[in-house]
Amino acid sequence: MVPLSLIEKLQNVKHLVVLTGAGVSAESGVPTFRDALTGLWANYNAERLASETGFLADPALVWGWYEWRRRRVLHAQPNLAHTTIAQLAIQVPELTLITQNVDDLHERAGSKDVIHLHGSLHQPRCFICETAYVIPEETVQDIQLNQESSIEPPRCSLCGEPVRPGVVWFGEQLPAKAWQLAQRASQYCDLLMIIGTSGLVWPAANLPYLANQAGIPIVQINPEKSSFNSIASYNLCGKAGELLPQLYTAAFTPVG
Ligand code: OAD
């Protein structure tokens, strides 16, 4: 059951901020990071695969792993959580969508101006000069990849140095503009919705605390407890692809 006071808040919201994590893409078949059996960091070494040091030590291992992940995303489809968030943006006066995800499933569900705090699997760039690199799909489609495929990274067309995945690695700064927009929206919205994140990665995890300090109500959707349970006014326990459509229907479908 969706609490009546939450339905009313959603019906009257002026600026809704939605912060998503890997859980929002879980029902599309994209693995999360910290779920005990299936999470990427339960099965792979984050230091080797998601850091500058790891890339310098073995660029082919790192490029191959991200290519495997990117191809999984290309074959995945947005789920009901992604599409409901896109519909919410049409219903409410203003919606800011902030994601920690490096997939493009929000965009493919119709969301616009998504703030990507952790970069994108689909925007690789030169490791040295940062020139954007476009992966030629016709060449990669044919190669069968698994998560341990080593693939030499392509070379930058300008300077000839290796191309790196366009994601934020451990120890790196978040993209400045995205982070600034995310902090501002989290402090000045009138409802913050946190969906499918463990809240263990900083500074992204600070956004709900900024909202809480500003007295903004928080609603969380997650089948498990997260570090945000204590500051959320509403903890909806369940899958995003099930609970979000219920919430949307309760708030925006006319009765009778
Ligand atoms: P985590 O893997 O840490 O957390 C995923 C959360 O999603 C957990 O709290 C799950 O309980 C929840 N979850 C699982 N299935 C769900 C579902 N169907 N509906 C709703 N929630 C569900 O992923 P993140 O919090 O996103 O960083 O991780 C944050 C960052 O850590 C990632 O962006 C990534 C990683 O290192 C980078 O790639 C830079």
Side-chain angles (χ1 to χ4, degrees):
M1 267 311 266
V2 182
L4 191 57
S5 61
L6 174 57
I7 296 172
E8 286 168 358
K9 276 200 169 54
L10 206 51
Q11 287 169 334
N12 296 311
V13 74
K14 293 189 180 65
H15 182 185
L16 173 65
V17 168
V18 180
L19 170 64
T20 64
V24 86
S25 296
E27 290 158 79
S28 295
V30 180
T32 63
F33 292 91
R34 293 177 184 79
D35 282 299
L37 293 177
T38 55
L40 290 173
W41 296 154
N43 292 296
Y44 302 103
N45 181 324
E47 187 59 31
R48 279 179 75 203
L49 295 166
S51 73
E52 199 177 296
T53 325
F55 184 71
L56 287 170
D58 194 342
L61 176 83
V62 174
W63 183 260
W65 191 70
Y66 281 94
E67 261 305 286
W68 167 70
R69 285 180 57 198
R70 191 181 68 88
R71 294 264 201 107
R72 280 192 77 151
V73 166
L74 286 180
H75 290 107
Q77 297 303 324
N79 65 54
L80 279 174
H82 299 106
T83 52
T84 306
I85 294 167
Q87 283 166 2
L88 272 172
I90 299 167
Q91 285 289 348
V92 305
E94 185 178 2
L95 184 146
T96 304
L97 175 55
I98 307 166
T99 189
Q100 298 165 84
N101 297 346
V102 293
D103 62 46
D104 60 353
L105 294 175
H106 281 307
E107 284 87 349
R108 280 161 54 199
S111 288
K112 304 257 185 301
D113 302 324
V114 185
I115 298 175
H116 279 271
L117 292 180
H118 291 163
S120 167
L121 287 171
H122 309 282
Q123 290 169 2
R125 63 179 189 273
C126 175
F127 184 69
I128 300 297
C129 75
E130 306 209 326
T131 299
Y133 177 82
V134 179
I135 300 174
E137 281 311 323
E138 66 282 4
T139 58
V140 292
Q141 288 296 357
D142 304 333
I143 311 166
Q144 291 297 315
L145 281 192
N146 64 47
Q147 59 271 42
E148 276 147 34
S149 301
S150 270
I151 306 175
E152 280 304 323
R155 296 274 161 175
C156 173
S157 56
L158 272 190
C159 71
E161 294 295 332
V163 169
R164 59 161 281 176
V167 304
V168 176
W169 282 331
F170 289 106
E172 294 185 318
Q173 302 280 325
L174 302 194
K177 181 81 181 161
W179 180 232
Q180 194 189 356
L181 290 171
Q183 287 183 97
R184 197 176 158 74
S186 303
Q187 284 170 302
Y188 293 103
C189 61
D190 46 4
L191 182 63
L192 176 79
M193 205 179 263
I194 312 169
I195 308 171
T197 175
S198 59
L200 294 175
V201 172
W202 292 73
N206 194 42
L207 296 173
Y209 293 97
L210 289 179
N212 186 46
Q213 279 155 20
I216 296 159
I218 296 174
V219 48
Q220 171 170 245
I221 297 180
N222 198 315
E224 307 289 335
K225 280 195 170 163
S226 83
S227 56
F228 301 126
N229 274 62
S230 59
I231 58 164
S233 326
Y234 303 92
N235 281 299
L236 306 185
C237 184
K239 293 181 173 181
E242 293 169 8
L243 291 180
L244 260 174
Q246 280 176 30
L247 188 56
Y248 181 90
T249 305
F252 298 115
T253 304
V255 182

